[in-house]
């Protein structure tokens, strides 16, 4: 870049470089926290908060756990003054909370400040003046002695007015623009102020070192602080405080290293709000301690609530990548990251309570700050992989995919995201899973299957529907699914190996459903399908059909298939309970008469016949495999009127539903099946 020659380092090293802090590798206790949101943060807003907004913000800070809160600069505006008075007059300051007000080292401002804090149960009067070379030479045009005198005269005035004003007061001094100040001179001014206040064990003072404009690297700041800490007068009775800004993006590092170097108190704001690039983010500082097992003394267990209140009152937005609080800070889109997190979470579930948190890529448990695993951690887009997709399906929809199926599912879901150029919600992931592995049977379906034992073997009689033709095929296998699979192979003349089968329940209760996963393998690749049904065998055969429908040879045999008719019949199958010509018309963007005519001419059956066939298939399955009442079966099959259902069933099968149930269960057709 051009003009680099106009810049140089603008900080001063201490006369002796201090580095004892380097020997410490962590903080074992939190500093005293002081929020300056209502002063430093508020003055940086495009539209500063009004009185009631500041009161609400104050209540939030108290709720989070702040015991020291800088509430404003009362002499700067009527709003600031009125806010201080409102806190006192409305008795809103808890006994364990100290408010703090800022004042320049100028007599009329100091007087106005004490008028504002009159009657405060306890308040810190924060005095400051700038000590930097640039401010001395350019702004104030004063020498070192004159600048020191500004500070000491202000300190004397604070001491005098504190004795004359109702309330309990303590003092704080800040040499503003410390980085641009010679370290020895900054120390000299601070000690001169302390000589006036003469702090004691029961009346301590605060010396606050502000990185007003951050110009030094964090380790330089820490060395400066260690020098100040070791050379302050009345050290045992002085609380050394820090006020870092973030001009170089290192405010958090400044605060942490300076705490190692002797700082006992930190001033900052929520989410780093403040002038220019902001103040140090106290949320990040506190949560960093928390992630090391140190209680920060601030409660961010409901981070979304704190963030929401902050954003509403300040009109500022917390960035998506803001540590611990942003929308995306716990989110993993990368496939390898998602897989590691999913495995880490699974291991966590197996661990005994009290084990340290060790989930990859997650420094803390998102639940500890009010976040959600499903919505905040594993998120699916075109960069995701099998681990993340499997996690979403398991934790949101109780689908435990076979290990070998996860890769196929991961690629399929990733492809959907890639084609749509968008992130997929958990519901969209599930929808895509169903569309790829549960619902599609474009070329054939098994309408029905009956099985009987023949020695050690099983004989299957399978009805295969292909277009408008239903064929019965018989085959033998070593089990029911194997026999049904052999029937499909024989009918289509295809070859594959049944390589995987897993099943599990999806819900509990009398109406519980199960899911079956089936994997088949050819010389080219593997194909997967899944089926969901109350009856596990029905689900298994469905899963098999979905997998076999994907074979290229099956598609090649279906050259004459009518794609629109197939889609229409699939729609009827999926929506048999409430499908109408009107819904078909809206779905396929065709008129009702055209839909009716098209289905009749292409399939040889009317729309009503197709609907009735699907409903009867559902009814027969329920009658055969359960003890539900005829009334409930009629409803489940799409009939609001049980008499209509009975008439239709008897017309088609020449027997009543109950007679059919008895027949299928080996009972006399004139006897009712007893409920066990």
């Amino acid at each position: 870049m051009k003009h680099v020659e106009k810049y140089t380092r603008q900080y001063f090293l201490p006369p002796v470089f201090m580095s004892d802090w380097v020997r410490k590798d962590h903080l074992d206790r939190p500093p005293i926290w002081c929020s300056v949101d209502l002063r430093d943060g508020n003055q940086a807003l495009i539209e500063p908060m009004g009185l009631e907004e500041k009161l609400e913000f104050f209540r939030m800070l108290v709720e989070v756990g702040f015991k020291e809160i800088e509430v404003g600069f009362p002499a700067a505006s009527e709003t600031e003054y009125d806010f201080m008075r409102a806190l006192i007059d409305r008795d809103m300051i808890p006994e364990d909370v100290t408010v703090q007000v800022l004042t320049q080292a100028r007599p009329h401002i100091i007087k106005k400040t004490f008028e504002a804090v009159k009657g405060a149960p306890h308040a810190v009067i924060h005095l400051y003046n700038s000590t930097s070379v640039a401010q001395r030479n350019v702004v104030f045009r004063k020498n070192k002695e004159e600048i020191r005198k500004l500070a000491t005269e202000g300190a004397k005035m604070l001491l005098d007015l504190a004795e004359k004003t109702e309330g309990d007061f303590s003092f704080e001094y800040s040499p503003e623009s410390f980085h641009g100040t010679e370290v020895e001179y900054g120390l000299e001014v601070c000690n001169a102020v302390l000589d006036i206040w003469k702090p004691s064990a029961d009346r301590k003072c605060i010396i606050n070192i502000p990185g007003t404009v951050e110009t030094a690297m964090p380790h330089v700041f820490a060395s400066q602080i260690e020098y100040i800490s070791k050379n302050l007068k009345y050290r045992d009775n002085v609380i050394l405080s820090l006020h870092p800004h973030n001009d170089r993006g290192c405010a958090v590092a400044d605060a942490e290293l300076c705490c190692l170097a002797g700082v006992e108190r930190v001033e900052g704001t929520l989410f780093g709000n403040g002038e220019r690039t902001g103040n140090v983010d106290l949320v990040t500082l506190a949560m960093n301690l928390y992630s090391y097992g140190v209680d920060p003394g601030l409660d961010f267990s409901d981070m979304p609530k704190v963030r929401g209140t902050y954003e509403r009152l300040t009109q500022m937005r917390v960035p998506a990548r803001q540590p611990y609080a942003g929308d995306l800070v716990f989110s993993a889109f990368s496939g390898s990251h998602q897989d590691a997190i999913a495995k880490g979470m699974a291991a966590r579930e197996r661990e005994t309570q009290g084990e340290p948190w060790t989930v990859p890529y997650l420094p803390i448990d998102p639940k500890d700050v009010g976040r959600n695993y499903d919505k905040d951690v594993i998120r699916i887009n075109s960069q995701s992989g099998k681990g993340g997709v499997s996690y979403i399906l398991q934790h949101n929809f109780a689908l435990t995919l076979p290990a070998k199926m996860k890769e196929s599912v991961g690629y399929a879901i990733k492809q959907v995201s890639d084609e749509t150029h968008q992130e997929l919600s958990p519901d969209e992931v599930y929808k895509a899973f169903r569309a790829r592995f549960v619902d599609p049977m474009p070329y054939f379906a098994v309408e029905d299957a009956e099985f009987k034992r023949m020695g050690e073997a099983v004989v299957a009689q399978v009805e295969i529907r292909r277009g408008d033709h239903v064929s019965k095929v018989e085959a033998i296998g070593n089990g029911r699914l194997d026999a049904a699979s052999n029937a499909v192979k024989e009918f289509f003349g295809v070859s594959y190996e049944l390589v995987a089968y897993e099943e599990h329940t999806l819900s509990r209760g009398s109406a519980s459903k199960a899911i079956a996963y089936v994997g088949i393998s050819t010389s080219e690749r593997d194909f997967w399908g899944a089926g969901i049904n109350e009856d596990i065998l029905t689900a298994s055969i469905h899963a098999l059909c979905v997998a076999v429908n994907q074979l290229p040879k099956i598609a090649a045999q279906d050259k004459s298939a009518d794609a629109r008719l197939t889609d229409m019949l699939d729609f009827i199958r999926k929506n048999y309970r409430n499908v109408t010509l009107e819904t078909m018309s809206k779905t396929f963007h065709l008129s009702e008469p055209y839909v009716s005519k098209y289905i009749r001419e292409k399939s040889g059956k009317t729309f009503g016949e197709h609907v009735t066939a699907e409903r009867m298939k559902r009814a027969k399955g329920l009658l055969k495999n359960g003890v539900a009442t005829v009334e409930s079966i009629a409803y489940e099959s799409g009939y609001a009127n049980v008499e209509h259902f009975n008439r239709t069933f008897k017309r088609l099968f020449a027997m009543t539903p109950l007679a059919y149930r008895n027949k299928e269960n080996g009972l006399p057709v004139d006897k009712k099946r007893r409920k066990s």
Side-chain angles (χ1 to χ4, degrees), residues 140 151 212 230 256 273 309 356 401 459 479 552 558 560 587 592 635:
F140 297 106
T212 312
K230 290 181 176 179
E256 290 181 330
N273 184 32
T309 303
L401 302 181
V459 178
D558 204 67
S560 62
T587 301
E592 292 181 33
Y635 176 76

Side-chain angles (χ1 to χ4, degrees), residues 41-281:
N42 187 58
Q43 75 179 17
L45 300 177
I46 296 174
E47 293 184 21
M49 290 180 279
L51 176 60
E52 293 304 319
E53 291 170 322
K54 293 190 75 171
L55 290 172
E56 183 180 352
F57 205 109
F58 178 83
R59 287 191 291 268
M60 177 184 67
L61 293 172
V62 171
E63 185 178 332
V64 166
F66 284 98
K67 302 304 179 185
E68 297 191 13
I69 303 171
E70 188 166 86
V71 296
F73 195 147
S77 72
E78 285 303 310
T79 300
E80 299 280 282
Y81 184 93
D82 291 344
F83 175 53
M84 184 69 252
R85 290 311 313 165
L87 291 174
I88 298 171
D89 296 339
R90 300 184 192 183
D91 195 22
M92 293 181 63
I93 306 171
E95 290 184 6
D96 61 345
V97 173
T98 297
V99 294
Q100 176 174 304
V101 291
L102 188 69
T103 179
Q104 292 177 334
R106 299 167 66 183
H108 70 285
I109 293 178
I110 294 174
K111 289 179 182 178
K112 183 74 171 180
T113 300
F114 272 94
E115 291 174 12
V117 297
K118 180 180 179 181
H122 185 66
V124 172
I125 312 300
H126 183 180
L127 176 73
Y128 80 95
N129 68 299
S130 186
T131 57
S132 70
V133 174
Q135 296 260 17
R136 294 196 314 254
N137 294 340
V138 177
V139 179
F140 297 106
R141 299 184 181 277
K142 294 181 182 294
N143 60 32
K144 287 183 177 180
E145 178 60 34
E146 291 170 318
I147 291 294
R148 183 173 62 250
K149 186 175 181 182
L150 276 178
T152 54
E153 291 300 316
K156 291 175 184 177
M157 194 168 186
L158 258 62
L159 204 60
D160 179 58
L161 288 175
E163 293 179 359
K164 299 176 181 178
T165 305
E166 177 190 351
D168 181 30
F169 308 110
S170 56
F171 306 135
E172 174 179 348
Y173 174 71
S174 291
E176 190 192 25
S177 303
F178 175 80
H179 276 315
T181 302
E182 305 91 331
V183 179
E184 310 97 300
Y185 176 64
L187 174 67
E188 177 187 327
V189 177
C190 290
N191 281 333
V193 169
L194 291 174
D195 280 336
I196 293 168
W197 288 342
K198 293 183 169 50
S200 61
D202 59 348
R203 182 65 67 178
K204 292 187 176 184
C205 292
I206 300 168
I207 292 296
N208 182 61
I209 305 300
T212 312
V213 179
E214 183 188 37
T215 59
M217 294 171 69
H219 74 290
V220 173
F221 203 0
S223 180
Q224 294 171 329
I225 288 296
E226 186 175 325
Y227 179 83
I228 294 288
S229 178
K230 290 181 176 179
N231 291 282
L232 276 176
K233 292 184 176 180
Y234 313 95
R235 184 65 184 90
D236 290 342
N237 300 323
V238 173
I239 299 170
L240 183 56
S241 179
L242 194 76
H243 185 108
H245 276 250
N246 199 42
D247 298 270
R248 290 170 55 89
C250 299
V252 169
D254 288 340
E256 290 181 330
L257 297 191
C258 288
C259 283
L260 294 176
V263 160
E264 302 149 287
R265 178 180 183 270
V266 176
E267 296 183 348
T269 58
L270 299 182
F271 310 114
N273 184 32
E275 294 279 14
R276 303 181 313 281
T277 56
N279 292 67
V280 66
D281 175 12

Side-chain angles (χ1 to χ4, degrees), residues 443-456:
Y443 306 121
F444 79 94
V446 170
E447 293 276 280
D448 195 14
E450 296 181 355
F451 303 92
K452 60 182 179 181
R453 280 279 176 187
M454 181 183 291
E456 295 297 318

